[in-house]
Amino acid sequence: VITLSKSSSDEIKDNNIGNGKIFIVNPGIEFYKFKSIKKSKDPSILFLNRIKKYKGIIIFLDAANILSNKKINFIIAGSGDYLKEAVNYTKNNNINQVKFLGRVSEEKKNELMQKSWVFVNTSYKEGWGIVNIEANYFKTPVVGSNVSGIKDSVINGKTGLLFEYGNSKELAKDILYLVENKKQLKKMSENSRKWALKFNWDKKAKEYIGILNKILNKN
């Protein structure tokens, strides 16, 4: 079995799949060219994902509400079957500093990631979290749920911070910490870029080929 993260490898082992022969190859990302886009003047926190219930968007909205007295912009990009509920939740709770952009193009996605100060991933579970590495590529640290997949793609304290899933207070605290500690934010931004550059598709293809050759040679 070839899988994409240690978390998924552990699950495969727990379910006795693959007779213990499990290999891990993390996914790669596209290395887009940087445009001359600076970080936004005011702190900008980005949620860019499919708007599904399990993606935890309500947790993100609650964190935004907790930080309503701060000059922080919260941006949500993406579409999905939970978008209407998320918009209604925002209105019903008077969360005014959140902006919904809907589905965005690849170019716009890259621009948003590059301009944002922090990227947030509140999912209940992921296989890996390619979007985290994409954000890191644009020097944007990730604050993510400490769950399968996300805890593999985010290096806690180095490329971002991990918070207890569902704990919007802890998420708000982590966001505020990075926003108010620019030295730490800059350090994490540089670490994020270095981390993301490890996930080149050519390199990942070679890892796959290496595993296949290893298996073939054994047989």
Side-chain angles (χ1 to χ4, degrees):
V1 177
I2 301 176
T3 189
L4 70 173
S5 69
K6 185 180 182 301
S7 290
S8 58
S9 173
D10 291 341
E11 285 192 31
I12 290 167
K13 287 177 184 176
D14 291 341
N15 287 281
N16 297 315
I17 301 170
N19 298 319
K21 296 178 181 178
I22 304 168
F23 302 92
I24 300 171
V25 179
N26 307 132
I29 62 167
E30 293 291 332
F31 288 174
Y32 295 99
K33 289 184 179 180
F34 271 83
K35 288 187 178 179
S36 228
I37 303 174
K38 295 181 180 179
K39 295 294 182 185
S40 58
K41 184 179 178 181
D42 292 325
S44 177
I45 314 302
L46 177 63
F47 178 103
L48 192 154
N49 223 317
R50 287 179 295 147
I51 312 300
K52 309 285 285 185
K53 187 175 183 179
Y54 84 93
K55 293 289 186 179
I57 191 169
I58 300 301
I59 303 164
F60 179 81
L61 294 174
D62 283 342
N65 199 19
I66 291 169
L67 297 172
S68 60
N69 62 333
K70 305 293 181 180
K71 196 175 182 181
I72 302 174
N73 297 316
F74 291 83
I75 298 171
I76 296 173
S79 61
D81 58 18
Y82 205 68
L83 179 59
K84 185 177 179 181
E85 284 82 353
V87 172
N88 288 337
Y89 189 86
T90 305
K91 292 177 180 177
N92 294 337
N93 290 278
N94 297 314
I95 308 172
N96 301 315
Q97 70 276 36
V98 175
K99 185 176 182 180
F100 287 88
L101 301 182
R103 185 188 293 273
V104 296
S105 67
E106 197 70 20
E107 185 176 0
K108 182 64 175 178
K109 180 188 85 171
N110 297 340
E111 178 188 325
L112 289 169
M113 285 183 168
Q114 193 168 343
K115 290 173 70 176
S116 298
W117 289 32
V118 176
F119 184 87
V120 173
N121 192 332
T122 50
S123 286
Y124 167 71
K125 183 180 182 180
E126 294 287 349
W128 165 248
I130 291 177
V131 70
N132 298 334
I133 305 300
E134 289 176 330
N136 285 166
Y137 176 74
F138 290 104
K139 294 187 175 183
T140 304
V142 177
V143 177
S145 307
N146 190 11
V147 298
S148 294
I150 297 177
K151 66 181 179 182
D152 299 294
S153 53
V154 176
I155 305 175
N156 192 34
K158 190 170 182 181
T159 67
L161 297 170
L162 296 172
F163 71 97
E164 179 189 15
Y165 171 75
N167 191 333
S168 53
K169 290 182 179 179
E170 188 179 350
L171 170 58
K173 183 180 178 181
D174 286 346
I175 290 171
L176 189 61
Y177 169 77
L178 290 177
V179 165
E180 292 185 340
N181 291 271
K182 292 185 178 180
K183 187 176 180 180
Q184 183 66 14
L185 181 65
K186 185 178 180 181
K187 186 177 179 180
M188 281 194 183
S189 297
E190 296 299 328
N191 289 337
S192 295
R193 172 72 172 175
K194 291 175 183 176
W195 171 240
L197 289 174
K198 296 177 183 287
F199 301 93
N200 175 283
W201 272 121
D202 289 338
K203 179 183 176 183
K204 295 302 169 182
K206 288 177 181 176
E207 287 181 28
Y208 265 105
I209 292 169
I211 291 169
L212 295 176
N213 283 331
K214 187 177 180 180
I215 294 169
L216 288 170
N217 290 333
K218 279 188 176 181
N219 294 332

